[in-house]
Amino acid sequence: MPDGGGPDAGGDVVRWAVFCCVLVPVVLLVYGTSLGGAAGTALGLAAVTAACRVLLRRSERGLRAERRTERHSRS
């Protein structure tokens, strides 16, 4: 697609971020980080992922609204 994303490109990004929220603490545990440190990291990553998801969805809504306005102005 010309806009650089598929039908659910944002969803793909969020899915990879959630995967990393699980993977990073597991790797930290394997390399000897404490359970509390790994859990804190998981919570921090989850918070950042949630905030990014909200911002991404808001941006997608704004882009869709902008495209609708653009199409209506051309008609």
Side-chain angles (χ1 to χ4, degrees), residues 17-66:
V18 169
F19 172 73
C20 291
C21 286
V22 173
L23 181 65
V24 169
V26 170
V27 170
L28 288 173
L29 286 172
V30 168
Y31 280 95
T33 302
S34 69
L35 184 59
T41 300
L43 288 173
L45 287 172
V48 169
T49 299
C52 289
R53 181 180 183 274
V54 168
L55 293 172
L56 182 61
R57 296 295 182 213
R58 185 177 296 170
S59 174
E60 288 173 342
R61 274 195 306 266
L63 184 58
R64 282 193 302 266
E66 183 179 309

